[in-house]
Amino acid sequence: MNPFLCFVLQAWNPPAACEFSRETSRFLRDYAVWEINAFLWISLLTVTYFLTHKLFKFFKLWNQGSKIPGPPSPSFYGHFSSLSNQNLTEVLSDSHGEYGSVVKLWLSPKQLLVSIKEPDVIREMLWKFKDKLPLTEKAFDLAFGQSTLFASSFDKVEKRRESLTSELNVKLLDRANLIPTKAVERILAERHQNMPKGHADRKMASQHMAFTLLGATIFGDTFLAWSKATIYEELLMTVTKDACFWASYSVTPFWDRGFWRYRRLCTKLKCLTKDLVQQCSKNYKFNGHLNVRDEPYGNIMGMLFHGCLTTGGLISNMLMRLVTHPEIQHKIYTEIIMAREGSEDKDQPVAEKMPLLLATIYESARVMPAGPLLQRCSLQHDLRLKSGIIVPAGAIVVVPMQLVQMDDSSWGNDAGKFNPYRFLSETEKISASLNKDTSIAGHAEEPKGQRKSSFVLNDPNENAAFLPFGSGTRACVCQKFVIQGIASLFASLLEQYEVRLGTGSKTNSKLTSTDSISQDFLSSELVFVGRTS
Ligand code: HEM
């Protein structure tokens, strides 16, 4: 009989009180032993289930991973140690060369990396795989707080992605066209103040331009008058620089003083963001992205960080290409002047009328993508690709951007050269009066005096290997908006200034050709020479 029932029945027999107290203590002891045993059994079963499940997942990953082609693991710990010495893109390039378009590498016994190089398989994967690596979400959460835009799981970001896409690409697109003029004026005025001779460090100047451009477009004119913008920019960059480091701890390092110092900087950044939003809401009626009642500040800070880093990178790369290809810079300038003359509203350049400028932006994004890899993972399910390869749940799937965007089979023999004309189609018109030479270095010149070549811009996304903004379910929501903003920025900038390389700039001595896309500037000082001076 159940000991508890015995206890209840005996409690109804008052004469046996002494016997009863002995019985009671025995009962309580038995009951405690019984409870402890039950608890131990349940714990044992739970731990066994948990470990078996982990072991099962581990063997499944090994089994399915071993069916994907790739170099053999140098040790039980995988390729990770060799990757730290060698560049990951180089290792992937060698592996793809030897094992085909889908290859695997073991990063650790439990971490499988699958790299895909074939554009059609990449498109398929980027549509099917909807989750991103949890580490990215952890870093964003730590630095900026909860975000519904940069979370790992697609379910968490789906709704906010949709609303932001329509907001940015419709309502803010007009502003992206208008604001840059004011932003550029502000940027150049600041630069004149700080550097009277027009000199500027390329990377710093690009980051600042991106920050001002994004801030002014997202927050309106008030941003340009905000007194704390400089501190905010510095703090944003400091906080984001260390986010991945602190997020890489599997147990939050509460014992580390550095961690608490970092947390204090994050709180300061959040306070400044609140201040900015409050300042701006006095002048604008915000909905969607700045309606802080239902929008976490994490989204705003995350957008500013990602936007500044990527847009700054693209602006910097554009400047580098323009100074090393002055003939293209000159042609873009001519294009801007012609677009201005043809436009009814002289203050508003129309980006569509500047195909060469747009093509130069696309080509700059192709030759130097914002990051080395596009990453995805499937948190729950295995995924079968059309080729028959099964990518097990939990594997990290990557696209090596440099390899895909420089591949001869997708871009032709000149894939390794900077050539914006690859995004343009030529339409020939006979013209005796206009006699402009539209060729660039490496292109056949046309007989002068008879023809005028004009160009139309092709849709760069027609080429499946064009991926600077990603593709598929988690693609960047701002492609249209960013391209428009950068085109307007450069239209204003190049109309007023010619950009040249400063005398203090040092290029990588191993690479001498100006056509080499991998040419790197160890330090690059730019000079902005006023067109009217
Ligand atoms: C030159 C500028 C930019 C580049 C090159 C760029 C590039 C990218 C890339 C490569 C991704 C990942 C796509 C993928 O995995 O398929 C991404 C995601 C994203 N981008 Fe951008 N981006 C730029 C600017 C911006 C700006 C200005 C904003 C917003 C203000 C923005 C918002 C986002 C968002 C919200 C995502 C996350 C989408 C998700 O996880 O679902 N991007 N971007």
Side-chain angles (χ1 to χ4, degrees):
M1 192 188 284
N2 183 322
F4 186 73
L5 265 182
C6 289
F7 170 74
V8 175
L9 290 175
Q10 280 164 5
W12 289 103
N13 190 4
C18 191
E19 180 68 9
F20 172 70
S21 83
R22 255 201 318 278
E23 279 294 305
T24 309
S25 62
R26 186 158 6 106
F27 163 76
L28 287 175
R29 207 174 49 241
D30 288 352
Y31 192 69
V33 170
W34 186 84
E35 287 270 290
I36 290 169
N37 279 345
F39 173 74
L40 289 177
W41 272 107
I42 291 172
S43 311
L44 187 70
L45 287 176
T46 314
V47 171
T48 312
Y49 170 78
F50 186 69
L51 288 179
T52 319
H53 185 68
K54 283 242 156 203
L55 212 63
F56 174 73
K57 269 178 73 177
F58 178 69
F59 280 120
K60 200 171 128 223
L61 188 76
W62 263 83
N63 180 33
Q64 288 181 336
S66 61
K67 291 179 190 155
I68 303 173
S73 217
S75 77
F76 177 73
Y77 299 101
H79 295 90
F80 194 71
S81 50
S82 54
L83 287 182
S84 47
N85 302 332
Q86 225 184 331
N87 183 315
L88 177 64
T89 305
E90 276 170 34
V91 175
L92 290 177
S93 170
D94 294 346
S95 305
H96 280 297
E98 206 174 330
Y99 297 95
S101 62
V102 181
V103 294
K104 63 135 193 278
L105 290 179
W106 289 101
L107 298 183
S108 77
K110 288 192 309 174
Q111 254 189 340
L112 175 67
L113 181 127
V114 179
S115 168
I116 305 181
K117 201 183 145 205
E118 169 67 42
D120 289 335
V121 188
I122 292 173
R123 280 251 157 122
E124 185 195 349
M125 182 280 281
L126 290 176
W127 278 106
K128 283 186 177 170
F129 283 66
K130 297 184 172 176
D131 298 325
K132 292 208 171 179
L133 285 184
L135 178 67
T136 318
E137 178 177 354
K138 207 173 155 194
F140 269 82
D141 270 8
L142 185 70
F144 312 124
Q146 286 283 311
S147 164
T148 49
L149 272 175
F150 296 95
S152 156
S153 142
F154 181 63
D155 297 341
K156 278 198 201 166
V157 298
E158 189 176 9
K159 253 177 82 187
R160 194 62 194 93
R161 276 181 60 94
E162 277 169 22
S163 57
L164 185 66
T165 308
S166 56
E167 205 176 331
L168 286 173
N169 292 338
V170 181
K171 290 188 206 148
L172 290 184
L173 209 60
D174 288 344
R175 238 199 254 174
N177 213 359
L178 285 174
I179 289 279
T181 319
K182 289 181 186 167
V184 172
E185 275 167 16
R186 161 76 183 271
I187 293 162
L188 297 177
E190 279 173 356
R191 205 182 37 73
H192 269 306
Q193 243 177 14
N194 300 338
M195 295 178 188
K197 285 185 185 161
H199 291 239
D201 176 76
R202 177 172 57 93
K203 285 192 178 146
M204 294 301 290
S206 309
Q207 181 198 296
H208 185 60
M209 282 186 209
F211 178 73
T212 313
L213 179 69
L214 275 178
T217 315
I218 296 175
F219 295 97
D221 286 357
T222 318
F223 179 83
L224 297 175
W226 191 43
S227 58
K228 296 170 190 154
T230 314
I231 306 172
Y232 191 83
E233 184 183 341
E234 273 169 28
L235 198 57
L236 183 71
M237 292 305 147
T238 316
V239 163
T240 47
K241 208 171 65 199
D242 295 341
C244 267
F245 170 74
W246 293 114
S248 66
Y249 278 85
S250 33
V251 178
T252 312
F254 294 117
W255 60 90
D256 195 323
R257 275 205 207 153
F259 176 73
W260 290 110
R261 252 198 314 275
Y262 179 70
R263 294 297 301 155
R264 276 198 292 281
L265 289 183
C266 297
T267 313
K268 201 171 161 195
L269 185 71
K270 192 173 174 183
C271 293
L272 281 177
T273 312
K274 273 188 191 170
D275 182 63
L276 173 61
V277 173
Q278 271 163 13
Q279 297 279 329
C280 296
S281 5
K282 285 181 198 155
N283 298 344
Y284 292 95
K285 241 182 171 248
F286 289 120
N287 46 23
H289 73 288
L290 285 180
N291 189 350
V292 280
R293 259 176 309 166
D294 43 41
E295 177 76 3
Y297 285 105
N299 280 356
I300 297 172
M301 290 187 271
M303 259 189 338
L304 275 175
F305 157 63
H306 165 85
C308 277
L309 210 69
T310 49
T311 313
L314 185 50
I315 292 175
S316 165
N317 191 21
M318 267 286 279
L319 286 169
M320 184 166 120
R321 302 300 155 190
L322 290 176
V323 295
T324 48
H325 295 84
E327 73 288 358
I328 293 185
Q329 189 179 161
H330 177 70
K331 278 174 192 153
I332 293 175
Y333 172 66
T334 315
E335 193 180 64
I336 295 165
I337 299 301
M338 281 167 71
R340 282 251 198 268
E341 281 167 5
S343 166
E344 282 174 16
D345 183 352
K346 297 276 179 267
D347 290 333
Q348 200 174 338
V350 186
E352 289 85 59
K353 287 189 183 167
M354 302 183 228
L356 182 57
L357 173 60
L358 291 171
T360 308
I361 298 174
Y362 289 132
E363 179 68 346
S364 304
R366 178 188 79 88
V367 297
M368 208 169 272
L373 303 169
L374 282 182
Q375 49 94 357
R376 289 286 193 287
C377 69
S378 169
L379 296 173
Q380 305 294 342
H381 308 287
D382 298 347
L383 275 165
R384 179 186 281 272
L385 298 171
K386 275 185 202 145
S387 57
I389 290 178
I390 298 174
V391 181
I396 304 166
V397 189
V398 297
V399 175
M401 298 282 276
Q402 202 90 35
L403 301 184
V404 177
Q405 300 205 136
M406 304 291 175
D407 196 9
D408 287 6
S409 56
S410 300
W411 298 99
N413 292 340
D414 68 342
K417 292 208 165 140
F418 178 76
N419 175 16
Y421 285 80
R422 72 177 76 251
F423 292 108
L424 297 174
S425 299
E426 201 169 351
T427 54
E428 277 186 8
K429 287 184 203 157
I430 306 296
S431 163
S433 55
L434 279 159
N435 175 20
K436 292 200 169 76
D437 168 26
T438 48
S439 63
I440 59 164
H443 283 244
E445 294 210 355
E446 293 172 273
K448 294 191 176 186
Q450 293 161 32
R451 283 161 196 250
K452 176 207 170 215
S453 304
S454 61
F455 295 95
V456 284
L457 186 75
N458 307 325
D459 179 1
N461 294 307
E462 275 170 11
N463 189 334
F466 183 77
L467 294 164
F469 294 90
S471 176
T473 39
R474 303 296 296 263
C476 181
V477 293
C478 293
Q479 173 167 354
K480 216 168 147 193
F481 161 81
V482 167
I483 296 294
Q484 185 101 15
I486 295 184
S488 307
L489 172 78
F490 273 91
S492 304
L493 189 73
L494 296 180
E495 192 184 7
Q496 296 177 47
Y497 293 90
E498 187 191 337
V499 192
R500 293 186 197 152
L501 197 59
T503 43
S505 296
K506 293 180 212 141
T507 54
N508 192 334
S509 56
K510 282 188 216 145
L511 303 157
T512 45
S513 159
T514 51
D515 273 342
S516 171
I517 45 155
S518 49
Q519 184 174 45
D520 192 20
F521 290 87
L522 298 177
S523 75
S524 52
E525 195 187 68
L526 299 179
V527 187
F528 292 83
V529 185
R531 297 255 180 213
T532 47
S533 64

